[in-house]
Amino acid sequence: MTVGAERPPRDVDGISYPPPPWRLVGTVHVSLWQVATDAVPRGHLGVELEPLSVAGRTPVVTAFAAYGPAGDLAYGELLVAVRARGRGRSFTHVPLIWVDHSSSVAGARALWRIPKEMAAIRFGEGRAGSAEATGIDGAPLAGLRFAPGPALPGRWPLRTRIAQGPLAAGDPSLTVTPVRASARVRLGRADWTIPREGPLGFLADARPLASVRLDDVALAFG
């Protein structure tokens, strides 16, 4: 370590993670769904958030991300995000998320209250066309096969705010984190395999409304 350099932050178990903002680069497969609002996971909404509901249904996004070594951390990720309302505005909320890197778990929980858990995540050829995730208990979480279609021209920006309630009971406050990204967008068709008995089982009988692959993603989180 360089003399005088700051040590990276660590969680209560001594696991280090990068200071914010995290700058990540990679490829992300994203699918958009509409789900009955009463089926949306609510474990980390807290008292200030409610799922955004239109005619009893809520927009839900699932994604497999492969972040590479050019960023602050390299890891695989499976997540579920929903639109939620609180404080008179709408946010993105992450109720379920798994990664294959302990520093990603530690940092996301400590900095932003994002409830990351460990999983085994595998990507197919080029870490782009297929993916699957398995929990630490060996149970399958989800699988994806993506058939690419046409690419849209240019790079597309994305800005959102992630709002997370407490990870444990007894703390009613809300943590809001800005996220900025840009990527090249390729349309396509995603076939998801989701066990009905798993944590994503509320999607097992549904089909995504639309799917894209985000290439050359440059993301700043925090």
Side-chain angles (χ1 to χ4, degrees), residues 121-176:
I121 300 178
R122 294 169 291 277
F123 294 91
E125 182 179 352
R127 293 173 66 87
S130 64
E132 60 180 16
T134 304
I136 57 174
D137 60 355
L141 296 169
L144 167 74
R145 290 191 177 278
F146 184 81
L152 301 183
R155 291 186 65 85
W156 291 69
L158 169 68
R159 288 179 177 266
T160 190
R161 287 182 173 270
I162 306 289
Q164 298 293 126
L167 293 176
D171 183 353
S173 59
L174 190 68
T175 297
V176 177

Short mmCIF file of all heavy atoms in Angstrom, two decimals, residues 121-176:
data_model
loop_
_atom_site.label_atom_id
_atom_site.label_comp_id
_atom_site.label_asym_id
_atom_site.label_seq_id
_atom_site.Cartn_x
_atom_site.Cartn_y
_atom_site.Cartn_z
N ILE A 121 -23.03 -17.36 -10.43
CA ILE A 121 -23.59 -16.79 -11.66
C ILE A 121 -22.66 -17.15 -12.81
O ILE A 121 -21.46 -16.88 -12.75
CB ILE A 121 -23.77 -15.27 -11.53
CG1 ILE A 121 -24.74 -14.96 -10.37
CG2 ILE A 121 -24.29 -14.68 -12.83
CD1 ILE A 121 -24.97 -13.50 -10.11
N ARG A 122 -23.23 -17.76 -13.83
CA ARG A 122 -22.45 -18.22 -14.98
C ARG A 122 -23.02 -17.60 -16.26
O ARG A 122 -24.24 -17.51 -16.42
CB ARG A 122 -22.49 -19.74 -15.07
CG ARG A 122 -21.78 -20.43 -13.91
CD ARG A 122 -22.05 -21.91 -13.89
NE ARG A 122 -23.43 -22.19 -13.55
CZ ARG A 122 -23.91 -22.24 -12.30
NH1 ARG A 122 -23.09 -22.00 -11.28
NH2 ARG A 122 -25.17 -22.51 -12.07
N PHE A 123 -22.11 -17.21 -17.15
CA PHE A 123 -22.49 -16.62 -18.42
C PHE A 123 -22.02 -17.51 -19.56
O PHE A 123 -20.99 -18.18 -19.46
CB PHE A 123 -21.89 -15.22 -18.57
CG PHE A 123 -22.44 -14.24 -17.58
CD1 PHE A 123 -21.82 -14.06 -16.35
CD2 PHE A 123 -23.58 -13.50 -17.87
CE1 PHE A 123 -22.33 -13.17 -15.42
CE2 PHE A 123 -24.09 -12.60 -16.95
CZ PHE A 123 -23.47 -12.43 -15.72
N GLY A 124 -22.78 -17.49 -20.64
CA GLY A 124 -22.43 -18.28 -21.80
C GLY A 124 -21.37 -17.59 -22.64
O GLY A 124 -20.65 -16.71 -22.18
N GLU A 125 -21.29 -17.98 -23.89
CA GLU A 125 -20.26 -17.50 -24.78
C GLU A 125 -20.19 -15.98 -24.81
O GLU A 125 -21.20 -15.31 -25.02
CB GLU A 125 -20.51 -18.01 -26.20
CG GLU A 125 -19.46 -17.61 -27.20
CD GLU A 125 -19.76 -18.17 -28.59
OE1 GLU A 125 -20.69 -18.98 -28.69
OE2 GLU A 125 -19.07 -17.78 -29.53
N GLY A 126 -19.01 -15.44 -24.57
CA GLY A 126 -18.82 -14.00 -24.58
C GLY A 126 -19.48 -13.28 -23.43
O GLY A 126 -19.56 -12.07 -23.41
N ARG A 127 -19.94 -14.02 -22.40
CA ARG A 127 -20.65 -13.44 -21.26
C ARG A 127 -21.82 -12.57 -21.74
O ARG A 127 -22.17 -11.58 -21.13
CB ARG A 127 -19.69 -12.61 -20.38
CG ARG A 127 -18.64 -13.44 -19.68
CD ARG A 127 -17.63 -12.57 -18.98
NE ARG A 127 -18.20 -11.80 -17.87
CZ ARG A 127 -18.31 -12.25 -16.62
NH1 ARG A 127 -17.93 -13.47 -16.32
NH2 ARG A 127 -18.82 -11.48 -15.69
N ALA A 128 -22.44 -12.98 -22.86
CA ALA A 128 -23.46 -12.09 -23.42
C ALA A 128 -24.76 -12.81 -23.77
O ALA A 128 -25.82 -12.25 -23.61
CB ALA A 128 -22.91 -11.38 -24.65
N GLY A 129 -24.72 -14.03 -24.31
CA GLY A 129 -25.91 -14.62 -24.88
C GLY A 129 -26.78 -15.42 -23.93
O GLY A 129 -27.97 -15.61 -24.19
N SER A 130 -26.21 -15.93 -22.86
CA SER A 130 -26.99 -16.72 -21.91
C SER A 130 -26.39 -16.56 -20.52
O SER A 130 -25.24 -16.17 -20.36
CB SER A 130 -26.99 -18.20 -22.31
OG SER A 130 -25.68 -18.74 -22.26
N ALA A 131 -27.22 -16.84 -19.52
CA ALA A 131 -26.77 -16.71 -18.14
C ALA A 131 -27.63 -17.58 -17.25
O ALA A 131 -28.78 -17.90 -17.58
CB ALA A 131 -26.85 -15.25 -17.68
N GLU A 132 -27.08 -17.96 -16.11
CA GLU A 132 -27.86 -18.66 -15.10
C GLU A 132 -27.28 -18.36 -13.73
O GLU A 132 -26.10 -18.08 -13.58
CB GLU A 132 -27.88 -20.17 -15.35
CG GLU A 132 -26.53 -20.84 -15.34
CD GLU A 132 -26.62 -22.33 -15.60
OE1 GLU A 132 -27.67 -22.80 -16.08
OE2 GLU A 132 -25.63 -23.04 -15.32
N ALA A 133 -28.17 -18.38 -12.73
CA ALA A 133 -27.77 -18.09 -11.35
C ALA A 133 -28.30 -19.18 -10.44
O ALA A 133 -29.44 -19.63 -10.58
CB ALA A 133 -28.30 -16.73 -10.92
N THR A 134 -27.45 -19.56 -9.48
CA THR A 134 -27.79 -20.60 -8.51
C THR A 134 -27.48 -20.07 -7.12
O THR A 134 -26.41 -19.50 -6.90
CB THR A 134 -26.98 -21.88 -8.77
OG1 THR A 134 -27.19 -22.30 -10.12
CG2 THR A 134 -27.39 -22.98 -7.82
N GLY A 135 -28.41 -20.22 -6.19
CA GLY A 135 -28.20 -19.76 -4.83
C GLY A 135 -27.11 -20.55 -4.13
O GLY A 135 -26.68 -21.62 -4.59
N ILE A 136 -26.66 -20.06 -2.99
CA ILE A 136 -25.59 -20.73 -2.25
C ILE A 136 -26.05 -22.08 -1.71
O ILE A 136 -25.22 -22.93 -1.35
CB ILE A 136 -25.04 -19.85 -1.11
CG1 ILE A 136 -26.18 -19.45 -0.14
CG2 ILE A 136 -24.36 -18.61 -1.67
CD1 ILE A 136 -25.67 -18.71 1.08
N ASP A 137 -27.37 -22.31 -1.67
CA ASP A 137 -27.89 -23.61 -1.28
C ASP A 137 -27.98 -24.58 -2.46
O ASP A 137 -28.44 -25.72 -2.29
CB ASP A 137 -29.27 -23.46 -0.64
CG ASP A 137 -30.29 -22.83 -1.58
OD1 ASP A 137 -29.91 -22.43 -2.71
OD2 ASP A 137 -31.47 -22.73 -1.19
N GLY A 138 -27.55 -24.14 -3.64
CA GLY A 138 -27.58 -24.98 -4.82
C GLY A 138 -28.87 -24.94 -5.60
O GLY A 138 -28.97 -25.55 -6.68
N ALA A 139 -29.87 -24.22 -5.11
CA ALA A 139 -31.16 -24.14 -5.80
C ALA A 139 -31.08 -23.14 -6.95
O ALA A 139 -30.51 -22.05 -6.78
CB ALA A 139 -32.26 -23.74 -4.83
N PRO A 140 -31.64 -23.45 -8.12
CA PRO A 140 -31.61 -22.50 -9.24
C PRO A 140 -32.46 -21.27 -8.94
O PRO A 140 -33.56 -21.38 -8.39
CB PRO A 140 -32.17 -23.31 -10.41
CG PRO A 140 -32.97 -24.39 -9.79
CD PRO A 140 -32.30 -24.71 -8.49
N LEU A 141 -31.95 -20.10 -9.33
CA LEU A 141 -32.67 -18.84 -9.17
C LEU A 141 -33.34 -18.42 -10.47
O LEU A 141 -34.52 -18.07 -10.49
CB LEU A 141 -31.71 -17.75 -8.69
CG LEU A 141 -31.08 -17.94 -7.32
CD1 LEU A 141 -29.96 -16.93 -7.09
CD2 LEU A 141 -32.13 -17.82 -6.23
N ALA A 142 -32.56 -18.40 -11.56
CA ALA A 142 -33.11 -18.01 -12.86
C ALA A 142 -32.10 -18.35 -13.94
O ALA A 142 -30.89 -18.43 -13.68
CB ALA A 142 -33.43 -16.52 -12.89
N GLY A 143 -32.60 -18.54 -15.14
CA GLY A 143 -31.76 -18.71 -16.31
C GLY A 143 -32.27 -17.82 -17.44
O GLY A 143 -33.45 -17.45 -17.47
N LEU A 144 -31.39 -17.47 -18.37
CA LEU A 144 -31.73 -16.57 -19.46
C LEU A 144 -31.06 -17.03 -20.75
O LEU A 144 -29.88 -17.41 -20.75
CB LEU A 144 -31.25 -15.15 -19.14
CG LEU A 144 -31.25 -14.13 -20.29
CD1 LEU A 144 -32.67 -13.70 -20.62
CD2 LEU A 144 -30.39 -12.93 -19.95
N ARG A 145 -31.82 -16.99 -21.85
CA ARG A 145 -31.26 -17.12 -23.19
C ARG A 145 -31.77 -15.93 -24.00
O ARG A 145 -32.97 -15.66 -24.02
CB ARG A 145 -31.65 -18.44 -23.84
CG ARG A 145 -30.97 -19.63 -23.19
CD ARG A 145 -31.15 -20.91 -23.98
NE ARG A 145 -30.43 -22.01 -23.39
CZ ARG A 145 -29.14 -22.26 -23.55
NH1 ARG A 145 -28.43 -21.46 -24.34
NH2 ARG A 145 -28.55 -23.28 -22.97
N PHE A 146 -30.84 -15.25 -24.66
CA PHE A 146 -31.18 -14.03 -25.37
C PHE A 146 -30.90 -14.20 -26.86
O PHE A 146 -29.79 -14.57 -27.26
CB PHE A 146 -30.37 -12.85 -24.82
CG PHE A 146 -30.71 -11.52 -25.44
CD1 PHE A 146 -31.81 -10.81 -25.01
CD2 PHE A 146 -29.92 -10.99 -26.44
CE1 PHE A 146 -32.14 -9.57 -25.56
CE2 PHE A 146 -30.22 -9.76 -27.01
CZ PHE A 146 -31.34 -9.06 -26.56
N ALA A 147 -31.92 -13.94 -27.69
CA ALA A 147 -31.77 -13.96 -29.14
C ALA A 147 -31.66 -12.52 -29.63
O ALA A 147 -32.65 -11.78 -29.58
CB ALA A 147 -32.96 -14.66 -29.79
N PRO A 148 -30.49 -12.07 -30.07
CA PRO A 148 -30.32 -10.66 -30.41
C PRO A 148 -31.03 -10.28 -31.70
O PRO A 148 -31.15 -11.06 -32.63
CB PRO A 148 -28.80 -10.50 -30.56
CG PRO A 148 -28.32 -11.87 -30.89
CD PRO A 148 -29.23 -12.83 -30.19
N GLY A 149 -31.51 -9.04 -31.70
CA GLY A 149 -32.13 -8.44 -32.87
C GLY A 149 -31.34 -7.22 -33.31
O GLY A 149 -30.13 -7.14 -33.09
N PRO A 150 -32.00 -6.23 -33.91
CA PRO A 150 -31.29 -5.06 -34.42
C PRO A 150 -30.76 -4.15 -33.30
O PRO A 150 -31.35 -4.08 -32.21
CB PRO A 150 -32.36 -4.33 -35.25
CG PRO A 150 -33.66 -4.79 -34.68
CD PRO A 150 -33.45 -6.19 -34.23
N ALA A 151 -29.67 -3.47 -33.59
CA ALA A 151 -29.09 -2.50 -32.66
C ALA A 151 -29.64 -1.12 -32.96
O ALA A 151 -29.82 -0.75 -34.13
CB ALA A 151 -27.58 -2.50 -32.76
N LEU A 152 -29.88 -0.35 -31.93
CA LEU A 152 -30.28 1.03 -32.10
C LEU A 152 -29.03 1.90 -32.27
O LEU A 152 -27.98 1.60 -31.70
CB LEU A 152 -31.08 1.51 -30.89
CG LEU A 152 -32.36 0.73 -30.57
CD1 LEU A 152 -33.06 1.36 -29.37
CD2 LEU A 152 -33.28 0.66 -31.76
N PRO A 153 -29.12 2.98 -33.04
CA PRO A 153 -27.92 3.80 -33.28
C PRO A 153 -27.53 4.60 -32.04
O PRO A 153 -28.37 5.01 -31.24
CB PRO A 153 -28.36 4.73 -34.41
CG PRO A 153 -29.85 4.79 -34.31
CD PRO A 153 -30.29 3.44 -33.81
N GLY A 154 -26.22 4.83 -31.90
CA GLY A 154 -25.71 5.72 -30.86
C GLY A 154 -25.69 5.08 -29.48
O GLY A 154 -25.91 3.89 -29.30
N ARG A 155 -25.37 5.94 -28.50
CA ARG A 155 -25.40 5.54 -27.09
C ARG A 155 -26.62 6.18 -26.43
O ARG A 155 -27.00 7.31 -26.75
CB ARG A 155 -24.12 5.99 -26.36
CG ARG A 155 -22.87 5.25 -26.81
CD ARG A 155 -21.67 5.64 -25.94
NE ARG A 155 -21.83 5.22 -24.55
CZ ARG A 155 -21.51 4.00 -24.11
NH1 ARG A 155 -21.05 3.08 -24.92
NH2 ARG A 155 -21.66 3.70 -22.83
N TRP A 156 -27.20 5.44 -25.49
CA TRP A 156 -28.42 5.88 -24.84
C TRP A 156 -28.15 6.13 -23.36
O TRP A 156 -27.56 5.28 -22.67
CB TRP A 156 -29.51 4.82 -25.00
CG TRP A 156 -29.98 4.71 -26.42
CD1 TRP A 156 -29.28 4.23 -27.49
CD2 TRP A 156 -31.26 5.12 -26.92
NE1 TRP A 156 -30.02 4.30 -28.64
CE2 TRP A 156 -31.24 4.84 -28.32
CE3 TRP A 156 -32.39 5.67 -26.35
CZ2 TRP A 156 -32.33 5.11 -29.14
CZ3 TRP A 156 -33.48 5.93 -27.17
CH2 TRP A 156 -33.45 5.67 -28.54
N PRO A 157 -28.56 7.30 -22.83
CA PRO A 157 -28.32 7.62 -21.43
C PRO A 157 -29.43 7.07 -20.53
O PRO A 157 -30.57 6.84 -20.97
CB PRO A 157 -28.32 9.15 -21.40
CG PRO A 157 -29.30 9.51 -22.50
CD PRO A 157 -29.14 8.45 -23.56
N LEU A 158 -29.10 6.88 -19.27
CA LEU A 158 -30.07 6.47 -18.26
C LEU A 158 -29.72 7.16 -16.95
O LEU A 158 -28.56 7.17 -16.53
CB LEU A 158 -30.05 4.96 -18.05
CG LEU A 158 -30.83 4.44 -16.82
CD1 LEU A 158 -32.33 4.64 -17.03
CD2 LEU A 158 -30.51 2.98 -16.54
N ARG A 159 -30.72 7.74 -16.33
CA ARG A 159 -30.57 8.29 -14.98
C ARG A 159 -31.75 7.83 -14.14
O ARG A 159 -32.89 7.82 -14.60
CB ARG A 159 -30.54 9.83 -15.00
CG ARG A 159 -29.27 10.41 -15.56
CD ARG A 159 -29.31 11.93 -15.57
NE ARG A 159 -28.06 12.50 -16.05
CZ ARG A 159 -27.06 12.88 -15.27
NH1 ARG A 159 -27.18 12.76 -13.95
NH2 ARG A 159 -25.96 13.38 -15.79
N THR A 160 -31.48 7.42 -12.93
CA THR A 160 -32.55 7.05 -12.02
C THR A 160 -32.06 7.26 -10.60
O THR A 160 -30.89 7.57 -10.36
CB THR A 160 -32.99 5.59 -12.23
OG1 THR A 160 -34.18 5.32 -11.48
CG2 THR A 160 -31.91 4.61 -11.80
N ARG A 161 -32.98 7.11 -9.66
CA ARG A 161 -32.63 7.15 -8.24
C ARG A 161 -33.13 5.87 -7.60
O ARG A 161 -34.31 5.53 -7.73
CB ARG A 161 -33.24 8.38 -7.54
CG ARG A 161 -32.54 9.68 -7.91
CD ARG A 161 -33.12 10.87 -7.18
NE ARG A 161 -32.33 12.07 -7.42
CZ ARG A 161 -31.30 12.45 -6.67
NH1 ARG A 161 -30.97 11.75 -5.61
NH2 ARG A 161 -30.63 13.54 -6.96
N ILE A 162 -32.22 5.19 -6.92
CA ILE A 162 -32.55 3.95 -6.21
C ILE A 162 -32.95 4.32 -4.79
O ILE A 162 -32.21 5.00 -4.08
CB ILE A 162 -31.35 3.00 -6.16
CG1 ILE A 162 -30.81 2.73 -7.56
CG2 ILE A 162 -31.72 1.71 -5.45
CD1 ILE A 162 -31.69 1.90 -8.42
N ALA A 163 -34.14 3.89 -4.38
CA ALA A 163 -34.62 4.15 -3.01
C ALA A 163 -34.76 2.82 -2.28
O ALA A 163 -35.42 1.91 -2.76
CB ALA A 163 -35.96 4.87 -3.04
N GLN A 164 -34.12 2.74 -1.11
CA GLN A 164 -34.11 1.51 -0.34
C GLN A 164 -34.50 1.76 1.11
O GLN A 164 -33.95 2.67 1.75
CB GLN A 164 -32.72 0.87 -0.38
CG GLN A 164 -32.24 0.47 -1.77
CD GLN A 164 -33.04 -0.67 -2.38
OE1 GLN A 164 -33.54 -0.54 -3.49
NE2 GLN A 164 -33.19 -1.77 -1.65
N GLY A 165 -35.42 0.96 1.60
CA GLY A 165 -35.75 0.98 3.01
C GLY A 165 -34.71 0.20 3.81
O GLY A 165 -33.69 -0.26 3.28
N PRO A 166 -34.96 0.00 5.10
CA PRO A 166 -33.96 -0.64 5.96
C PRO A 166 -33.77 -2.11 5.63
O PRO A 166 -34.70 -2.80 5.19
CB PRO A 166 -34.55 -0.45 7.37
CG PRO A 166 -36.02 -0.31 7.15
CD PRO A 166 -36.17 0.41 5.85
N LEU A 167 -32.55 -2.61 5.86
CA LEU A 167 -32.27 -4.03 5.72
C LEU A 167 -32.71 -4.81 6.94
O LEU A 167 -32.89 -6.03 6.87
CB LEU A 167 -30.78 -4.25 5.47
CG LEU A 167 -30.24 -3.72 4.14
CD1 LEU A 167 -28.73 -3.92 4.07
CD2 LEU A 167 -30.92 -4.39 2.97
N ALA A 168 -32.85 -4.13 8.06
CA ALA A 168 -33.28 -4.77 9.31
C ALA A 168 -34.38 -3.94 9.94
O ALA A 168 -34.50 -2.74 9.68
CB ALA A 168 -32.10 -4.92 10.27
N ALA A 169 -35.17 -4.57 10.77
CA ALA A 169 -36.27 -3.88 11.43
C ALA A 169 -35.75 -2.83 12.40
O ALA A 169 -34.62 -2.91 12.90
CB ALA A 169 -37.15 -4.89 12.17
N GLY A 170 -36.58 -1.82 12.65
CA GLY A 170 -36.25 -0.83 13.66
C GLY A 170 -35.69 0.47 13.14
O GLY A 170 -35.47 1.40 13.91
N ASP A 171 -35.46 0.58 11.83
CA ASP A 171 -34.93 1.82 11.26
C ASP A 171 -35.86 2.25 10.13
O ASP A 171 -35.90 1.62 9.08
CB ASP A 171 -33.52 1.60 10.72
CG ASP A 171 -32.90 2.88 10.19
OD1 ASP A 171 -33.61 3.90 10.11
OD2 ASP A 171 -31.71 2.86 9.84
N PRO A 172 -36.65 3.32 10.31
CA PRO A 172 -37.65 3.69 9.30
C PRO A 172 -37.11 4.56 8.16
O PRO A 172 -37.86 4.89 7.25
CB PRO A 172 -38.66 4.48 10.13
CG PRO A 172 -37.84 5.12 11.20
CD PRO A 172 -36.76 4.12 11.54
N SER A 173 -35.84 4.95 8.19
CA SER A 173 -35.34 5.92 7.22
C SER A 173 -35.19 5.30 5.83
O SER A 173 -35.17 4.08 5.66
CB SER A 173 -34.00 6.50 7.69
OG SER A 173 -33.04 5.48 7.84
N LEU A 174 -35.06 6.17 4.84
CA LEU A 174 -34.97 5.78 3.44
C LEU A 174 -33.63 6.26 2.89
O LEU A 174 -33.22 7.39 3.13
CB LEU A 174 -36.11 6.42 2.66
CG LEU A 174 -36.35 5.97 1.23
CD1 LEU A 174 -36.86 4.54 1.19
CD2 LEU A 174 -37.36 6.91 0.56
N THR A 175 -32.94 5.40 2.15
CA THR A 175 -31.69 5.76 1.50
C THR A 175 -31.93 5.91 0.01
O THR A 175 -32.43 4.98 -0.63
CB THR A 175 -30.62 4.68 1.75
OG1 THR A 175 -30.34 4.61 3.15
CG2 THR A 175 -29.33 5.02 1.01
N VAL A 176 -31.58 7.08 -0.54
CA VAL A 176 -31.78 7.36 -1.97
C VAL A 176 -30.41 7.57 -2.61
O VAL A 176 -29.60 8.36 -2.12
CB VAL A 176 -32.67 8.60 -2.17
CG1 VAL A 176 -32.82 8.92 -3.65
CG2 VAL A 176 -34.04 8.38 -1.53
#
